[in-house]
């Protein structure tokens, strides 16, 4: 695969002295934990593990390759276990499919490196950028993350949905989430520890990465086509993720419908005054059934939609207070002393 070029974008200004302090604290021989969430990636997982192992070995990084299997129904786990016979691979098998956000959480909870690399297993995230990200981490950045160079390969509907989502999410928010960011990133151990302290079950990882702060650097990368297989992430998955992000990090939907209610109330008062004046001046013939029907159905629809939005927040509160585990692990297979465990 052809190596990618990157363009840095300092979205958060970091004082030079702070980078120098952090760079001085970086271990001389860090353990790099590569975290790869996988769901039905049997054709891609072994080549990705081989590629990451080669890239890190060539630069002298001690490393572990952690595959979090999110309930795959194909040969993803056998292929990863086969690679573990010759590579430093750990396979974490979740008890069922929990979704990518939870798979990332499970991986973050169970890695022990000084720095983590989060990357998809389908080669859409260019693995050649991993050493570049790690070099920036050595310079003192606690988080180095990827930003899409463009969305040329996506449908118009998906691009429009994404733009509207970020507009709603960041509207009035004191801490704005950068648009077009990806899960492809490098995280220092301090950030991993911070993420482990967050107990919420409705996980929107891009929001959590942004919320923790620390020193961050955005780098523009070119998203590639999948090397093999078909993505299981469809528009329904995108919608559910967007809904989770909005309800977890923004009250804007509630505020929008508060504003809509105020506008409708003001219009209703204005219409009542107009009707009163019209009746006093011209009388009130018995008519207007279409107007009444339209008004009743419109207001009924607004009320149901408002209740639905409120219900989304209440439902997520209900999921949080139940206190169920965020995920369950069925098996961890780890290579020890050159042997497959």
């Amino acid at each position: 695969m052809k190596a990618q070029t990157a363009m840095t974008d300092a979205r958060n200004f970091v004082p030079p002295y702070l980078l120098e302090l952090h760079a001085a604290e970086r271990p001389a021989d860090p353990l790099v934990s590569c975290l790869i969430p996988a769901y039905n990636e049997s054709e891609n997982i072994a080549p990705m593990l081989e590629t990451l192992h080669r890239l890190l070995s060539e630069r002298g990084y001690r490393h572990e390759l952690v595959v979090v299997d999110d309930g795959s129904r194909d040969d993803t786990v056998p292929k990863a276990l086969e690679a573990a016979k010759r590579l430093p691979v750990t396979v974490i098998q979740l008890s069922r499919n929990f979704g990518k956000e939870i798979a990332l959480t499970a991986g973050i909870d169970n890695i022990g490196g000084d720095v983590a690399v989060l990357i998809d297993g389908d080669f859409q995230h260019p693995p050649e950028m991993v050493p570049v990200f790690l070099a920036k981490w050595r310079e003192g950045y606690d988080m180095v993350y990827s930003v899409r160079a463009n969305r040329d390969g996506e449908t118009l509907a998906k691009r429009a949905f994404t733009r509207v989502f970020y507009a709603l999410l960041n509207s009035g928010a004191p801490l704005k989430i950068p648009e077009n960011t990806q899960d492809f990133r490098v995280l220092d151990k301090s950030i991993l520890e911070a993420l482990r302290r967050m107990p919420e079950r409705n996980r929107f990882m891009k929001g959590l990465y942004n919320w923790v702060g620390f020193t961050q650097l955005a780098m523009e990368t070119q998203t590639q086509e999948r090397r093999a297989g078909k993505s299981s992430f469809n528009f329904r998955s995108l919608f559910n993720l967007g809904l989770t992000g909005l309800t977890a990090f923004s009250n804007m939907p509630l505020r929008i419908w508060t504003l809509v209610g105020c506008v409708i109330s003001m219009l209703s008062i204005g219409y009542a005054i107009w009707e009163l004046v019209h009746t006093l001046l011209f009388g009130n013939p018995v008519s207007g059934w279409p107007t009444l029907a339209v008004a009743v159905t419109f207001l009924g629809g607004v009320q149901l939609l408002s209740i639905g939005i409120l219900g989304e927040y209440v439902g997520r509160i209900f999921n949080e207070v139940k206190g169920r585990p965020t995920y369950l692990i069925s098996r961890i297979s780890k290579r020890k002393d050159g042997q497959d465990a």
Side-chain angles (χ1 to χ4, degrees):
M1 179 181 291
K2 188 177 179 180
Q4 302 294 309
T5 59
M7 180 180 68
T8 59
D9 177 16
R11 296 176 183 269
N12 303 97
F13 173 74
V14 182
Y17 81 89
L18 190 57
L19 290 179
E20 293 177 4
L21 288 175
H22 287 192
E25 295 170 352
R26 299 294 186 239
D29 186 23
L31 174 62
V32 179
S33 297
C34 290
L35 174 56
I36 310 161
Y39 177 69
N40 294 341
E41 294 289 356
S42 62
E43 298 179 73
N44 295 314
I45 193 63
M48 174 57 75
L49 293 172
E50 295 279 3
T51 300
L52 290 173
H53 177 69
R54 174 179 56 80
L55 290 170
L56 294 171
S57 297
E58 288 175 350
R59 290 157 180 83
Y61 282 111
R62 293 188 302 122
H63 59 278
E64 60 175 354
L65 308 174
V66 181
V67 178
V68 182
D69 178 66
D70 191 24
S72 296
R73 300 179 181 179
D74 62 1
D75 293 335
T76 297
V77 171
K79 293 289 183 63
L81 292 177
E82 178 65 27
K85 296 178 180 179
R86 58 187 185 280
L87 304 175
V89 173
T90 298
V91 181
I92 300 174
Q93 294 176 248
L94 302 186
S95 62
R96 63 172 176 84
N97 178 254
F98 287 90
K100 183 181 178 181
E101 308 295 292
I102 303 302
L104 287 170
T105 300
I108 290 171
D109 288 345
N110 289 276
I111 56 178
D114 300 295
V115 59
V117 176
L118 277 55
I119 184 171
D120 287 352
D122 55 10
F123 286 90
Q124 287 191 304
H125 298 159
E128 289 78 9
M129 290 301 300
V130 170
V132 179
F133 283 15
L134 288 172
K136 292 297 180 182
W137 169 76
R138 281 192 174 279
E139 291 178 10
Y141 291 100
D142 296 318
M143 181 189 306
V144 184
Y145 62 92
S146 168
V147 177
R148 286 177 180 269
N150 57 66
R151 290 183 173 271
D152 294 341
E154 296 182 349
T155 63
L156 180 61
K158 186 175 181 180
R159 292 201 298 268
F161 178 87
T162 302
R163 186 172 294 274
V164 171
F165 165 72
Y166 278 105
L168 287 174
L169 186 63
N170 290 325
S171 180
L175 187 64
K176 299 186 184 301
I177 298 176
E179 191 171 347
N180 297 327
T181 59
Q182 298 179 300
D183 290 316
F184 181 32
R185 59 190 65 212
V186 162
L187 305 177
D188 183 69
K189 188 175 182 179
S190 58
I191 294 183
L192 297 176
E193 293 173 352
L195 291 172
R196 290 169 187 146
R197 296 174 59 188
M198 298 183 181
E200 58 257 49
R201 289 158 181 80
N202 295 298
R203 313 283 289 186
F204 180 60
M205 296 304 294
K206 292 184 180 66
L208 296 179
Y209 301 142
N210 192 61
W211 186 87
V212 297
F214 295 89
T215 56
Q216 300 186 14
L217 178 69
M219 298 193 69
E220 192 173 87
T221 61
Q222 186 69 43
T223 301
Q224 307 293 324
E225 295 292 331
R226 287 179 59 89
R227 174 170 290 192
K230 183 179 179 180
S231 175
S232 60
F233 193 79
N234 51 30
F235 188 80
R236 179 181 177 183
S237 303
L238 178 65
F239 180 82
N240 290 335
L241 180 60
L243 193 59
T244 298
L246 282 176
T247 53
F249 282 89
S250 175
N251 293 325
M252 186 53 61
L254 296 175
R255 293 174 180 172
I256 287 175
W257 287 103
T258 299
L259 179 61
V260 169
C262 291
V263 170
I264 292 176
S265 297
M266 296 301 294
L267 291 175
S268 300
I269 292 172
Y271 181 71
I273 294 174
W274 184 87
E275 282 289 345
L276 177 62
V277 174
H278 185 274
T279 301
L280 292 174
L281 295 178
F282 306 104
N284 185 20
V286 180
S287 61
W289 166 251
T291 303
L292 179 62
V294 169
V296 170
T297 54
F298 174 72
L299 290 175
V302 169
Q303 289 174 341
L304 290 174
L305 184 57
S306 302
I307 293 172
I309 292 174
L310 183 61
E312 282 291 333
Y313 283 88
V314 174
R316 295 179 189 279
I317 293 171
F318 178 60
N319 287 334
E320 292 290 340
V321 300
K322 283 188 293 188
R324 291 178 181 171
T326 307
Y327 58 87
L328 294 173
I329 295 176
S330 64
R331 187 168 183 264
I332 297 179
S333 304
K334 186 174 182 180
R335 186 189 187 199
K336 297 178 180 179
D337 299 325
Q339 300 298 321
D340 179 35

